Amino acid sequence: MTITTTPPSLATAMREGSKAEHKAAESSSYMAELLDGRLNERGYFDLLLRLRVVYEAMEAAATDHAADPLVAAVRDVDLERLAAIDADLAYWAERLGVDVADELAALDSPAALAYRDRLLAAGSEAAAGWGGSLAAHHYTRYLGDLSGGQAIGRILSRTFDLDGAGVAFYDFAAISKPKPYKDAYRARLDALGLDDAGVRRVVEEVKVAFGLNQALFTELGANLPTYRRPAGALGG
């Protein structure tokens, strides 16, 4: 008798296998303050500066290695955020009276650089024939942007009375219905048919990705005393 086994669901394993790391990143003090609408303009601008470093590296790596089967399964130019980040940086820089180029040149963020370096390493792995690590980072960032990121965009809009300005990062104009899109994204991952070892390898990198995001929030959290809005400004 021949026994057939169903390949493990990669998308489910990525979600279930990284729950602890995901929760830890979401539970940071910085994120709690952001979600409560307690951060000032500088507090959000400094996050955007760091995200620019991350997305520049990730999107360049995904473009360079688009032919890799694992990267090809998830890469979609409609997801790319770098142009949106640049637009948002310009908006917040004007509010703050600073220059984006100067701010990026002066950025001192070991957490962002560590994240960038990990993405560069994932790109090197893809060049050597394994795009799973890059796909893991892609999944962690973009599906998060299409999920909880949408709530962050609404909170920022309400907190600063933005009327749509300064939150292009959360606007996926070409993706009108995030849930069906995310379902299709996960289905493409599952269709790769990775074996158990491959699934485990991707899941471990998802954990790393959440850890790198947590490190960004921890770094920003050290500046919370300067990022908090005056009590009279809350709910503005």
Side-chain angles (χ1 to χ4, degrees), residues 57 112-125 133-134 137 201 204-206 208-209 212:
L113 293 179
Y115 204 153
R116 180 203 64 189
D117 289 348
R118 188 74 181 204
L119 288 164
L120 293 175
S124 295
E125 289 182 3
S133 294
L134 195 52
H137 287 279
R201 190 173 176 184
E204 286 305 309
E205 193 66 21
V206 173
V208 169
L212 290 166

PDB file of all heavy atoms in Angstrom, residues 57 112-125 133-134 137 201 204-206 208-209 212:
ATOM      1  N   ALA A  57      16.643  48.027   0.830  1.00  0.00           N
ATOM      2  CA  ALA A  57      17.417  46.793   0.712  1.00  0.00           C
ATOM      3  C   ALA A  57      16.537  45.629   0.262  1.00  0.00           C
ATOM      4  O   ALA A  57      16.925  44.841  -0.616  1.00  0.00           O
ATOM      5  CB  ALA A  57      18.086  46.472   2.045  1.00  0.00           C
ATOM      6  N   ALA A 112      18.479  49.358  12.250  1.00  0.00           N
ATOM      7  CA  ALA A 112      18.174  49.408  10.815  1.00  0.00           C
ATOM      8  C   ALA A 112      19.312  48.824   9.987  1.00  0.00           C
ATOM      9  O   ALA A 112      19.076  48.126   8.992  1.00  0.00           O
ATOM     10  CB  ALA A 112      17.889  50.842  10.390  1.00  0.00           C
ATOM     11  N   LEU A 113      20.544  49.082  10.387  1.00  0.00           N
ATOM     12  CA  LEU A 113      21.683  48.550   9.645  1.00  0.00           C
ATOM     13  C   LEU A 113      21.774  47.032   9.782  1.00  0.00           C
ATOM     14  O   LEU A 113      22.109  46.330   8.818  1.00  0.00           O
ATOM     15  CB  LEU A 113      22.974  49.211  10.123  1.00  0.00           C
ATOM     16  CG  LEU A 113      23.095  50.707   9.817  1.00  0.00           C
ATOM     17  CD1 LEU A 113      24.415  51.251  10.355  1.00  0.00           C
ATOM     18  CD2 LEU A 113      22.980  50.979   8.315  1.00  0.00           C
ATOM     19  N   ALA A 114      21.456  46.513  10.963  1.00  0.00           N
ATOM     20  CA  ALA A 114      21.453  45.062  11.156  1.00  0.00           C
ATOM     21  C   ALA A 114      20.374  44.415  10.297  1.00  0.00           C
ATOM     22  O   ALA A 114      20.580  43.341   9.703  1.00  0.00           O
ATOM     23  CB  ALA A 114      21.230  44.736  12.631  1.00  0.00           C
ATOM     24  N   TYR A 115      19.221  45.061  10.225  1.00  0.00           N
ATOM     25  CA  TYR A 115      18.126  44.575   9.390  1.00  0.00           C
ATOM     26  C   TYR A 115      18.553  44.583   7.925  1.00  0.00           C
ATOM     27  O   TYR A 115      18.369  43.607   7.188  1.00  0.00           O
ATOM     28  CB  TYR A 115      16.924  45.485   9.609  1.00  0.00           C
ATOM     29  CG  TYR A 115      15.563  44.885   9.319  1.00  0.00           C
ATOM     30  CD1 TYR A 115      14.438  45.366   9.979  1.00  0.00           C
ATOM     31  CD2 TYR A 115      15.380  43.875   8.371  1.00  0.00           C
ATOM     32  CE1 TYR A 115      13.168  44.855   9.723  1.00  0.00           C
ATOM     33  CE2 TYR A 115      14.126  43.360   8.115  1.00  0.00           C
ATOM     34  CZ  TYR A 115      13.026  43.858   8.786  1.00  0.00           C
ATOM     35  OH  TYR A 115      11.777  43.356   8.522  1.00  0.00           O
ATOM     36  N   ARG A 116      19.143  45.690   7.484  1.00  0.00           N
ATOM     37  CA  ARG A 116      19.623  45.783   6.107  1.00  0.00           C
ATOM     38  C   ARG A 116      20.626  44.684   5.790  1.00  0.00           C
ATOM     39  O   ARG A 116      20.559  44.032   4.744  1.00  0.00           O
ATOM     40  CB  ARG A 116      20.272  47.150   5.881  1.00  0.00           C
ATOM     41  CG  ARG A 116      20.817  47.363   4.471  1.00  0.00           C
ATOM     42  CD  ARG A 116      21.894  48.429   4.448  1.00  0.00           C
ATOM     43  NE  ARG A 116      23.063  48.036   5.230  1.00  0.00           N
ATOM     44  CZ  ARG A 116      24.069  48.848   5.527  1.00  0.00           C
ATOM     45  NH1 ARG A 116      24.057  50.104   5.122  1.00  0.00           N
ATOM     46  NH2 ARG A 116      25.104  48.407   6.240  1.00  0.00           N
ATOM     47  N   ASP A 117      21.567  44.467   6.715  1.00  0.00           N
ATOM     48  CA  ASP A 117      22.596  43.461   6.480  1.00  0.00           C
ATOM     49  C   ASP A 117      22.003  42.060   6.365  1.00  0.00           C
ATOM     50  O   ASP A 117      22.470  41.233   5.572  1.00  0.00           O
ATOM     51  CB  ASP A 117      23.633  43.505   7.602  1.00  0.00           C
ATOM     52  CG  ASP A 117      24.501  44.756   7.540  1.00  0.00           C
ATOM     53  OD1 ASP A 117      24.456  45.465   6.515  1.00  0.00           O
ATOM     54  OD2 ASP A 117      25.217  45.028   8.532  1.00  0.00           O
ATOM     55  N   ARG A 118      20.968  41.784   7.159  1.00  0.00           N
ATOM     56  CA  ARG A 118      20.311  40.478   7.066  1.00  0.00           C
ATOM     57  C   ARG A 118      19.622  40.322   5.711  1.00  0.00           C
ATOM     58  O   ARG A 118      19.624  39.237   5.115  1.00  0.00           O
ATOM     59  CB  ARG A 118      19.299  40.318   8.202  1.00  0.00           C
ATOM     60  CG  ARG A 118      18.704  38.913   8.301  1.00  0.00           C
ATOM     61  CD  ARG A 118      19.711  37.930   8.876  1.00  0.00           C
ATOM     62  NE  ARG A 118      19.174  36.578   8.965  1.00  0.00           N
ATOM     63  CZ  ARG A 118      19.627  35.654   9.807  1.00  0.00           C
ATOM     64  NH1 ARG A 118      20.632  35.933  10.620  1.00  0.00           N
ATOM     65  NH2 ARG A 118      19.099  34.451   9.817  1.00  0.00           N
ATOM     66  N   LEU A 119      19.036  41.388   5.225  1.00  0.00           N
ATOM     67  CA  LEU A 119      18.399  41.340   3.909  1.00  0.00           C
ATOM     68  C   LEU A 119      19.429  41.147   2.800  1.00  0.00           C
ATOM     69  O   LEU A 119      19.186  40.421   1.833  1.00  0.00           O
ATOM     70  CB  LEU A 119      17.595  42.615   3.681  1.00  0.00           C
ATOM     71  CG  LEU A 119      16.306  42.718   4.507  1.00  0.00           C
ATOM     72  CD1 LEU A 119      15.796  44.154   4.521  1.00  0.00           C
ATOM     73  CD2 LEU A 119      15.242  41.773   3.975  1.00  0.00           C
ATOM     74  N   LEU A 120      20.574  41.795   2.941  1.00  0.00           N
ATOM     75  CA  LEU A 120      21.649  41.589   1.970  1.00  0.00           C
ATOM     76  C   LEU A 120      22.119  40.138   1.984  1.00  0.00           C
ATOM     77  O   LEU A 120      22.396  39.545   0.931  1.00  0.00           O
ATOM     78  CB  LEU A 120      22.817  42.535   2.270  1.00  0.00           C
ATOM     79  CG  LEU A 120      22.542  44.029   2.066  1.00  0.00           C
ATOM     80  CD1 LEU A 120      23.748  44.860   2.513  1.00  0.00           C
ATOM     81  CD2 LEU A 120      22.190  44.338   0.621  1.00  0.00           C
ATOM     82  N   ALA A 121      22.187  39.564   3.181  1.00  0.00           N
ATOM     83  CA  ALA A 121      22.571  38.156   3.295  1.00  0.00           C
ATOM     84  C   ALA A 121      21.516  37.254   2.660  1.00  0.00           C
ATOM     85  O   ALA A 121      21.854  36.255   1.994  1.00  0.00           O
ATOM     86  CB  ALA A 121      22.767  37.784   4.768  1.00  0.00           C
ATOM     87  N   ALA A 122      20.243  37.607   2.839  1.00  0.00           N
ATOM     88  CA  ALA A 122      19.168  36.832   2.216  1.00  0.00           C
ATOM     89  C   ALA A 122      19.271  36.914   0.700  1.00  0.00           C
ATOM     90  O   ALA A 122      19.013  35.929  -0.011  1.00  0.00           O
ATOM     91  CB  ALA A 122      17.807  37.345   2.684  1.00  0.00           C
ATOM     92  N   GLY A 123      19.654  38.082   0.192  1.00  0.00           N
ATOM     93  CA  GLY A 123      19.859  38.225  -1.237  1.00  0.00           C
ATOM     94  C   GLY A 123      21.015  37.357  -1.732  1.00  0.00           C
ATOM     95  O   GLY A 123      20.926  36.748  -2.808  1.00  0.00           O
ATOM     96  N   SER A 124      22.067  37.273  -0.941  1.00  0.00           N
ATOM     97  CA  SER A 124      23.198  36.423  -1.309  1.00  0.00           C
ATOM     98  C   SER A 124      22.787  34.957  -1.333  1.00  0.00           C
ATOM     99  O   SER A 124      23.224  34.191  -2.211  1.00  0.00           O
ATOM    100  CB  SER A 124      24.347  36.625  -0.320  1.00  0.00           C
ATOM    101  OG  SER A 124      24.857  37.947  -0.400  1.00  0.00           O
ATOM    102  N   GLU A 125      21.927  34.555  -0.396  1.00  0.00           N
ATOM    103  CA  GLU A 125      21.424  33.183  -0.392  1.00  0.00           C
ATOM    104  C   GLU A 125      20.599  32.914  -1.650  1.00  0.00           C
ATOM    105  O   GLU A 125      20.680  31.835  -2.244  1.00  0.00           O
ATOM    106  CB  GLU A 125      20.572  32.932   0.850  1.00  0.00           C
ATOM    107  CG  GLU A 125      21.356  32.854   2.148  1.00  0.00           C
ATOM    108  CD  GLU A 125      20.464  32.557   3.337  1.00  0.00           C
ATOM    109  OE1 GLU A 125      19.244  32.358   3.144  1.00  0.00           O
ATOM    110  OE2 GLU A 125      20.974  32.512   4.466  1.00  0.00           O
ATOM    111  N   SER A 133      14.815  32.677   2.405  1.00  0.00           N
ATOM    112  CA  SER A 133      15.014  33.703   3.435  1.00  0.00           C
ATOM    113  C   SER A 133      14.443  35.041   2.980  1.00  0.00           C
ATOM    114  O   SER A 133      13.803  35.762   3.748  1.00  0.00           O
ATOM    115  CB  SER A 133      16.492  33.848   3.762  1.00  0.00           C
ATOM    116  OG  SER A 133      16.991  32.673   4.359  1.00  0.00           O
ATOM    117  N   LEU A 134      14.656  35.375   1.727  1.00  0.00           N
ATOM    118  CA  LEU A 134      14.130  36.629   1.196  1.00  0.00           C
ATOM    119  C   LEU A 134      12.605  36.596   1.174  1.00  0.00           C
ATOM    120  O   LEU A 134      11.942  37.590   1.521  1.00  0.00           O
ATOM    121  CB  LEU A 134      14.680  36.863  -0.210  1.00  0.00           C
ATOM    122  CG  LEU A 134      14.537  38.269  -0.786  1.00  0.00           C
ATOM    123  CD1 LEU A 134      15.076  39.328   0.168  1.00  0.00           C
ATOM    124  CD2 LEU A 134      15.264  38.339  -2.131  1.00  0.00           C
ATOM    125  N   HIS A 137      11.253  37.362   4.674  1.00  0.00           N
ATOM    126  CA  HIS A 137      11.237  38.788   5.016  1.00  0.00           C
ATOM    127  C   HIS A 137      10.131  39.519   4.257  1.00  0.00           C
ATOM    128  O   HIS A 137       9.471  40.404   4.810  1.00  0.00           O
ATOM    129  CB  HIS A 137      12.600  39.410   4.704  1.00  0.00           C
ATOM    130  CG  HIS A 137      13.664  39.017   5.672  1.00  0.00           C
ATOM    131  ND1 HIS A 137      13.805  39.619   6.906  1.00  0.00           N
ATOM    132  CD2 HIS A 137      14.625  38.057   5.605  1.00  0.00           C
ATOM    133  CE1 HIS A 137      14.817  39.068   7.550  1.00  0.00           C
ATOM    134  NE2 HIS A 137      15.325  38.116   6.786  1.00  0.00           N
ATOM    135  N   ARG A 201      13.171  25.937   7.543  1.00  0.00           N
ATOM    136  CA  ARG A 201      14.172  26.961   7.247  1.00  0.00           C
ATOM    137  C   ARG A 201      13.511  28.321   7.020  1.00  0.00           C
ATOM    138  O   ARG A 201      13.995  29.349   7.504  1.00  0.00           O
ATOM    139  CB  ARG A 201      14.967  26.534   6.018  1.00  0.00           C
ATOM    140  CG  ARG A 201      16.192  27.394   5.738  1.00  0.00           C
ATOM    141  CD  ARG A 201      17.009  26.796   4.606  1.00  0.00           C
ATOM    142  NE  ARG A 201      18.145  27.657   4.255  1.00  0.00           N
ATOM    143  CZ  ARG A 201      18.976  27.406   3.250  1.00  0.00           C
ATOM    144  NH1 ARG A 201      18.802  26.313   2.511  1.00  0.00           N
ATOM    145  NH2 ARG A 201      19.976  28.241   2.996  1.00  0.00           N
ATOM    146  N   GLU A 204      12.148  29.706  10.411  1.00  0.00           N
ATOM    147  CA  GLU A 204      13.209  30.268  11.252  1.00  0.00           C
ATOM    148  C   GLU A 204      13.577  31.679  10.808  1.00  0.00           C
ATOM    149  O   GLU A 204      13.855  32.546  11.640  1.00  0.00           O
ATOM    150  CB  GLU A 204      14.439  29.356  11.218  1.00  0.00           C
ATOM    151  CG  GLU A 204      14.289  28.073  12.011  1.00  0.00           C
ATOM    152  CD  GLU A 204      13.896  28.325  13.457  1.00  0.00           C
ATOM    153  OE1 GLU A 204      14.570  29.140  14.126  1.00  0.00           O
ATOM    154  OE2 GLU A 204      12.911  27.718  13.917  1.00  0.00           O
ATOM    155  N   GLU A 205      13.542  31.927   9.511  1.00  0.00           N
ATOM    156  CA  GLU A 205      13.873  33.266   9.032  1.00  0.00           C
ATOM    157  C   GLU A 205      12.737  34.253   9.316  1.00  0.00           C
ATOM    158  O   GLU A 205      13.001  35.438   9.552  1.00  0.00           O
ATOM    159  CB  GLU A 205      14.201  33.251   7.542  1.00  0.00           C
ATOM    160  CG  GLU A 205      14.855  34.519   7.044  1.00  0.00           C
ATOM    161  CD  GLU A 205      16.247  34.771   7.628  1.00  0.00           C
ATOM    162  OE1 GLU A 205      16.890  33.802   8.102  1.00  0.00           O
ATOM    163  OE2 GLU A 205      16.703  35.933   7.606  1.00  0.00           O
ATOM    164  N   VAL A 206      11.505  33.783   9.308  1.00  0.00           N
ATOM    165  CA  VAL A 206      10.393  34.655   9.710  1.00  0.00           C
ATOM    166  C   VAL A 206      10.584  35.096  11.158  1.00  0.00           C
ATOM    167  O   VAL A 206      10.368  36.263  11.510  1.00  0.00           O
ATOM    168  CB  VAL A 206       9.031  33.942   9.534  1.00  0.00           C
ATOM    169  CG1 VAL A 206       7.900  34.800  10.111  1.00  0.00           C
ATOM    170  CG2 VAL A 206       8.759  33.661   8.069  1.00  0.00           C
ATOM    171  N   VAL A 208      13.405  35.406  12.681  1.00  0.00           N
ATOM    172  CA  VAL A 208      14.489  36.398  12.640  1.00  0.00           C
ATOM    173  C   VAL A 208      13.933  37.756  12.213  1.00  0.00           C
ATOM    174  O   VAL A 208      14.268  38.797  12.791  1.00  0.00           O
ATOM    175  CB  VAL A 208      15.605  35.941  11.681  1.00  0.00           C
ATOM    176  CG1 VAL A 208      16.599  37.076  11.425  1.00  0.00           C
ATOM    177  CG2 VAL A 208      16.334  34.734  12.246  1.00  0.00           C
ATOM    178  N   ALA A 209      13.084  37.752  11.194  1.00  0.00           N
ATOM    179  CA  ALA A 209      12.522  39.007  10.682  1.00  0.00           C
ATOM    180  C   ALA A 209      11.725  39.732  11.757  1.00  0.00           C
ATOM    181  O   ALA A 209      11.854  40.955  11.917  1.00  0.00           O
ATOM    182  CB  ALA A 209      11.646  38.725   9.463  1.00  0.00           C
ATOM    183  N   LEU A 212      14.100  41.324  14.163  1.00  0.00           N
ATOM    184  CA  LEU A 212      14.710  42.536  13.634  1.00  0.00           C
ATOM    185  C   LEU A 212      13.744  43.718  13.721  1.00  0.00           C
ATOM    186  O   LEU A 212      14.153  44.845  14.012  1.00  0.00           O
ATOM    187  CB  LEU A 212      15.143  42.306  12.190  1.00  0.00           C
ATOM    188  CG  LEU A 212      16.330  41.351  12.012  1.00  0.00           C
ATOM    189  CD1 LEU A 212      16.451  40.922  10.561  1.00  0.00           C
ATOM    190  CD2 LEU A 212      17.628  41.985  12.500  1.00  0.00           C
TER     191      LEU A 212
END
